[in-house]
mmCIF file of all heavy atoms in Angstrom:
data_model
loop_
_atom_site.group_PDB
_atom_site.id
_atom_site.type_symbol
_atom_site.label_atom_id
_atom_site.label_comp_id
_atom_site.label_asym_id
_atom_site.label_seq_id
_atom_site.Cartn_x
_atom_site.Cartn_y
_atom_site.Cartn_z
ATOM 1 N N TRP A 149 -17.345 -11.339 8.826
ATOM 2 C CA TRP A 149 -17.742 -11.989 10.124
ATOM 3 C C TRP A 149 -19.120 -12.627 9.965
ATOM 4 O O TRP A 149 -19.375 -13.694 10.423
ATOM 5 C CB TRP A 149 -17.737 -10.939 11.247
ATOM 6 C CG TRP A 149 -18.208 -11.452 12.554
ATOM 7 C CD1 TRP A 149 -19.502 -11.816 12.895
ATOM 8 C CD2 TRP A 149 -17.430 -11.710 13.704
ATOM 9 N NE1 TRP A 149 -19.573 -12.219 14.208
ATOM 10 C CE2 TRP A 149 -18.291 -12.180 14.751
ATOM 11 C CE3 TRP A 149 -16.064 -11.551 14.026
ATOM 12 C CZ2 TRP A 149 -17.874 -12.512 16.007
ATOM 13 C CZ3 TRP A 149 -15.648 -11.869 15.281
ATOM 14 C CH2 TRP A 149 -16.510 -12.349 16.286
ATOM 15 N N HIS A 150 -20.042 -11.839 9.321
ATOM 16 C CA HIS A 150 -21.417 -12.391 9.189
ATOM 17 C C HIS A 150 -21.552 -13.285 7.979
ATOM 18 O O HIS A 150 -22.627 -13.893 7.819
ATOM 19 C CB HIS A 150 -22.409 -11.178 9.108
ATOM 20 C CG HIS A 150 -22.424 -10.390 10.401
ATOM 21 N ND1 HIS A 150 -21.725 -9.292 10.636
ATOM 22 C CD2 HIS A 150 -23.110 -10.660 11.567
ATOM 23 C CE1 HIS A 150 -21.933 -8.827 11.857
ATOM 24 N NE2 HIS A 150 -22.810 -9.665 12.446
ATOM 25 N N GLY A 151 -20.526 -13.448 7.195
ATOM 26 C CA GLY A 151 -20.602 -14.322 6.033
ATOM 27 C C GLY A 151 -20.027 -15.721 6.273
ATOM 28 O O GLY A 151 -20.486 -16.677 5.690
ATOM 29 N N VAL A 152 -19.023 -15.789 7.186
ATOM 30 C CA VAL A 152 -18.362 -17.046 7.393
ATOM 31 C C VAL A 152 -18.860 -17.752 8.675
ATOM 32 O O VAL A 152 -19.578 -17.155 9.454
ATOM 33 C CB VAL A 152 -16.807 -16.874 7.511
ATOM 34 C CG1 VAL A 152 -16.282 -16.194 6.265
ATOM 35 C CG2 VAL A 152 -16.443 -16.066 8.737
ATOM 36 N N LYS A 153 -18.499 -19.031 8.776
ATOM 37 C CA LYS A 153 -18.822 -19.760 10.005
ATOM 38 C C LYS A 153 -17.536 -20.025 10.829
ATOM 39 O O LYS A 153 -16.461 -19.722 10.312
ATOM 40 C CB LYS A 153 -19.418 -21.141 9.612
ATOM 41 C CG LYS A 153 -20.717 -20.997 8.785
ATOM 42 C CD LYS A 153 -21.290 -22.356 8.463
ATOM 43 C CE LYS A 153 -21.015 -22.740 7.049
ATOM 44 N NZ LYS A 153 -21.582 -23.957 6.574
ATOM 45 N N ASP A 154 -17.695 -20.515 11.999
ATOM 46 C CA ASP A 154 -16.529 -20.724 12.857
ATOM 47 C C ASP A 154 -15.513 -21.684 12.227
ATOM 48 O O ASP A 154 -14.328 -21.553 12.480
ATOM 49 C CB ASP A 154 -16.938 -21.309 14.247
ATOM 50 C CG ASP A 154 -17.717 -20.309 15.028
ATOM 51 O OD1 ASP A 154 -17.855 -19.146 14.624
ATOM 52 O OD2 ASP A 154 -18.210 -20.679 16.153
ATOM 53 N N ASP A 155 -15.982 -22.599 11.425
ATOM 54 C CA ASP A 155 -15.082 -23.623 10.881
ATOM 55 C C ASP A 155 -14.791 -23.325 9.408
ATOM 56 O O ASP A 155 -14.297 -24.245 8.671
ATOM 57 C CB ASP A 155 -15.656 -25.039 11.047
ATOM 58 C CG ASP A 155 -17.008 -25.168 10.334
ATOM 59 O OD1 ASP A 155 -17.545 -24.170 9.852
ATOM 60 O OD2 ASP A 155 -17.508 -26.339 10.300
ATOM 61 N N THR A 156 -15.068 -22.138 8.938
ATOM 62 C CA THR A 156 -14.786 -21.817 7.526
ATOM 63 C C THR A 156 -13.283 -21.836 7.250
ATOM 64 O O THR A 156 -12.478 -21.270 7.986
ATOM 65 C CB THR A 156 -15.366 -20.430 7.196
ATOM 66 O OG1 THR A 156 -16.820 -20.507 7.290
ATOM 67 C CG2 THR A 156 -14.986 -19.995 5.806
ATOM 68 N N LYS A 157 -12.936 -22.525 6.186
ATOM 69 C CA LYS A 157 -11.523 -22.529 5.716
ATOM 70 C C LYS A 157 -11.434 -21.589 4.536
ATOM 71 O O LYS A 157 -12.450 -21.186 3.954
ATOM 72 C CB LYS A 157 -11.099 -23.927 5.346
ATOM 73 C CG LYS A 157 -11.316 -24.977 6.443
ATOM 74 C CD LYS A 157 -10.530 -24.663 7.674
ATOM 75 C CE LYS A 157 -10.807 -25.704 8.742
ATOM 76 N NZ LYS A 157 -10.468 -25.197 10.118
ATOM 77 N N TRP A 158 -10.159 -21.388 4.079
ATOM 78 C CA TRP A 158 -9.971 -20.436 2.989
ATOM 79 C C TRP A 158 -10.701 -20.895 1.745
ATOM 80 O O TRP A 158 -11.171 -20.034 0.957
ATOM 81 C CB TRP A 158 -8.498 -20.275 2.711
ATOM 82 C CG TRP A 158 -7.820 -21.459 2.042
ATOM 83 C CD1 TRP A 158 -7.214 -22.505 2.681
ATOM 84 C CD2 TRP A 158 -7.733 -21.714 0.619
ATOM 85 N NE1 TRP A 158 -6.716 -23.385 1.763
ATOM 86 C CE2 TRP A 158 -7.033 -22.956 0.505
ATOM 87 C CE3 TRP A 158 -8.158 -21.051 -0.505
ATOM 88 C CZ2 TRP A 158 -6.735 -23.509 -0.758
ATOM 89 C CZ3 TRP A 158 -7.852 -21.626 -1.758
ATOM 90 C CH2 TRP A 158 -7.161 -22.850 -1.875
ATOM 91 N N ASP A 159 -10.837 -22.193 1.522
ATOM 92 C CA ASP A 159 -11.447 -22.724 0.298
ATOM 93 C C ASP A 159 -12.926 -23.175 0.526
ATOM 94 O O ASP A 159 -13.503 -23.791 -0.313
ATOM 95 C CB ASP A 159 -10.637 -23.829 -0.315
ATOM 96 C CG ASP A 159 -10.399 -25.010 0.667
ATOM 97 O OD1 ASP A 159 -10.735 -24.840 1.829
ATOM 98 O OD2 ASP A 159 -9.813 -25.988 0.205
ATOM 99 N N SER A 160 -13.477 -22.839 1.693
ATOM 100 C CA SER A 160 -14.904 -23.091 1.886
ATOM 101 C C SER A 160 -15.704 -22.133 1.033
ATOM 102 O O SER A 160 -15.324 -20.969 0.848
ATOM 103 C CB SER A 160 -15.304 -22.872 3.363
ATOM 104 O OG SER A 160 -14.531 -23.674 4.248
ATOM 105 N N PRO A 161 -16.790 -22.606 0.488
ATOM 106 C CA PRO A 161 -17.580 -21.723 -0.378
ATOM 107 C C PRO A 161 -18.005 -20.420 0.302
ATOM 108 O O PRO A 161 -18.093 -19.385 -0.304
ATOM 109 C CB PRO A 161 -18.843 -22.550 -0.758
ATOM 110 C CG PRO A 161 -18.426 -23.985 -0.515
ATOM 111 C CD PRO A 161 -17.422 -23.949 0.552
ATOM 112 N N GLU A 162 -18.237 -20.533 1.617
ATOM 113 C CA GLU A 162 -18.740 -19.331 2.301
ATOM 114 C C GLU A 162 -17.642 -18.325 2.628
ATOM 115 O O GLU A 162 -17.917 -17.204 3.080
ATOM 116 C CB GLU A 162 -19.500 -19.692 3.597
ATOM 117 C CG GLU A 162 -18.621 -20.211 4.746
ATOM 118 C CD GLU A 162 -18.437 -21.741 4.677
ATOM 119 O OE1 GLU A 162 -18.772 -22.337 3.622
ATOM 120 O OE2 GLU A 162 -17.947 -22.309 5.685
ATOM 121 N N ASN A 163 -16.336 -18.737 2.444
ATOM 122 C CA ASN A 163 -15.311 -17.736 2.617
ATOM 123 C C ASN A 163 -15.556 -16.562 1.716
ATOM 124 O O ASN A 163 -16.008 -16.707 0.571
ATOM 125 C CB ASN A 163 -13.926 -18.335 2.371
ATOM 126 C CG ASN A 163 -12.814 -17.312 2.701
ATOM 127 O OD1 ASN A 163 -13.014 -16.354 3.500
ATOM 128 N ND2 ASN A 163 -11.640 -17.498 2.110
#
Side-chain angles (χ1 to χ4, degrees):
Chain A
W149 176 290
H150 293 96
V152 302
K153 298 182 258 184
D154 291 356
D155 60 353
T156 294
K157 306 298 178 199
W158 72 268
D159 56 353
S160 303
E162 71 272 13
N163 185 22

